[in-house]
Amino acid sequence: ETNTLPFHPFENQQGDILRVEKEHQVLKEQLKEAEEKFEQLQSRSSEEIGALEELLRKSVEETEVSQNELDWFHQDSEAQGKKWQQEKKESRDNLKALRSTAKKHTDTNERYLKAIDDKEKQYNVYLNTFLDTSNKFANEKVKLEELIKKSQDDCQECVKRAVKAEISVFQNWKETEVWKLSGTVAKAEANLKMLKTLSSSASAAPLVKSQIDSWETFISNVKKQLEKVEAEYEEKIELVKSGARISLTKVEIVDIPSP
């Protein structure tokens, strides 16, 4: 964005200052040319005056020259002198005007240079302030990044601990339910064994047969329930290990009434 926008209040549009400087340079060259023309004109006029004065001297010395020729010579000399004085006055007026214009542009140029210098100082102040602020923000950014990294590490550690805790909870629930169901199976198998012992008696066999069937069905259902509980808890544990988010709930246990 540097040097692509107008420099207010000294520029209404991009390039005004450069244009004024170019005009100033052109006026300086015109002033120089006018001074050279003035000097040439002054030299030529001096030569002409010298020649006229030499003619006048010769005319005075030569008594043969008629009075009419002498009057004509004086008139011509006066006309040439007036013409030269008029040209000299015009040249002086032009030179004065050019000098006034050149001084005006010089003053304007000095004013612009002073304004540019003031703006440059102000820019340096703003730049130093910006650099100080930038360094401050950079230091704060480094501190924040370190805090974020520490927080991320703490978060990862918390996640690991949470995963371990969830796995531990599911493992405890599984072991508890398996222990309960295994105890139920053991008690049922003990009852079944006792019933089979009683069935060896011929008199009790018809009555015990239906009880044996009921207990065998009960044991089979409880074992299926046991396998289902173990499988579902293992599935939940594997999901937690893989990073999946699941609700921390127990596996639903169907209450199987014993015979």
Side-chain angles (χ1 to χ4, degrees):
E1 296 179 1
T2 304
N3 296 331
T4 58
L5 298 177
F7 184 59
H8 297 293
F10 309 104
E11 286 185 326
N12 293 324
Q13 61 183 0
Q14 170 68 17
D16 283 348
I17 292 178
L18 293 177
R19 186 166 57 255
V20 170
E21 290 180 351
K22 290 180 180 179
E23 291 175 358
H24 180 217
Q25 184 65 28
V26 171
L27 289 173
K28 286 176 67 177
E29 293 176 358
Q30 291 178 353
L31 176 60
K32 183 178 179 181
E33 292 177 358
E35 289 177 346
E36 292 175 355
K37 289 181 180 179
F38 172 74
E39 291 175 356
Q40 292 175 359
L41 180 61
Q42 189 176 26
S43 176
R44 187 171 66 252
S45 298
S46 298
E47 293 175 358
E48 291 176 356
I49 290 173
L52 290 173
E53 288 177 350
E54 180 66 20
L55 289 174
L56 179 60
R57 186 182 64 79
K58 288 182 180 181
S59 296
V60 172
E61 292 177 352
E62 294 176 356
T63 57
E64 296 86 5
V65 179
S66 64
Q67 186 65 38
N68 291 332
E69 291 177 346
L70 184 60
D71 292 339
W72 174 84
F73 176 76
H74 281 298
Q75 291 176 359
D76 186 64
S77 297
E78 289 177 358
Q80 291 291 337
K82 289 180 179 179
K83 181 179 178 182
W84 176 81
Q85 290 293 336
Q86 182 65 28
E87 290 179 352
K88 181 179 180 181
K89 182 177 181 298
E90 291 178 355
S91 298
R92 285 179 176 175
D93 292 341
N94 291 333
L95 180 61
K96 183 178 180 181
L98 289 173
R99 284 178 175 173
S100 176
T101 304
K103 185 177 184 302
K104 179 180 177 182
H105 287 295
T106 301
D107 295 340
T108 303
N109 189 35
E110 290 178 353
R111 197 163 57 248
Y112 285 161
L113 290 174
K114 185 178 183 301
I116 291 172
D117 185 61
D118 293 339
K119 291 295 181 182
E120 185 175 359
K121 291 179 180 178
Q122 187 178 8
Y123 166 77
N124 290 329
V125 172
Y126 289 156
L127 179 62
N128 293 331
T129 303
F130 167 76
L131 292 176
D132 292 340
T133 305
S134 178
N135 292 333
K136 179 180 178 181
F137 284 146
N139 294 332
E140 292 181 356
K141 179 183 177 182
V142 171
K143 293 180 180 178
L144 289 175
E145 288 177 347
E146 291 177 352
L147 289 175
I148 290 172
K149 186 177 183 303
K150 184 177 182 301
S151 298
Q152 289 176 344
D153 294 339
D154 293 342
C155 180
Q156 291 178 357
E157 183 64 25
C158 290
V159 169
K160 291 179 181 179
R161 291 171 58 188
V163 168
K164 290 181 180 179
E166 290 180 3
I167 292 174
S168 178
V169 169
F170 284 130
Q171 191 70 32
N172 290 333
W173 284 347
K174 184 188 79 168
E175 291 175 357
T176 300
E177 296 299 335
V178 168
W179 178 80
K180 289 180 180 179
L181 293 174
S182 298
T184 301
V185 171
K187 290 180 181 179
E189 288 178 344
N191 290 333
L192 179 61
K193 183 178 180 181
M194 182 183 63
L195 289 173
K196 287 183 176 180
T197 301
L198 292 175
S199 67
S200 60
S201 175
S203 59
L207 296 174
V208 177
K209 181 67 171 64
S210 61
Q211 291 294 322
I212 291 174
D213 293 338
S214 297
W215 279 103
E216 287 178 346
T217 302
F218 173 75
I219 291 171
S220 176
N221 291 334
V222 172
K223 287 183 176 181
K224 290 179 181 179
Q225 182 76 6
L226 178 60
E227 293 175 356
K228 176 178 176 294
V229 168
E230 287 183 325
E232 291 188 8
Y233 273 117
E234 287 297 330
E235 182 181 359
K236 286 179 178 288
I237 290 172
E238 291 301 323
L239 288 174
V240 172
K241 288 181 179 180
S242 65
R245 292 182 177 272
I246 61 175
S247 58
L248 198 64
T249 56
K250 292 183 177 181
V251 174
E252 184 178 357
I253 305 297
V254 177
D255 187 15
I256 303 173
S258 62

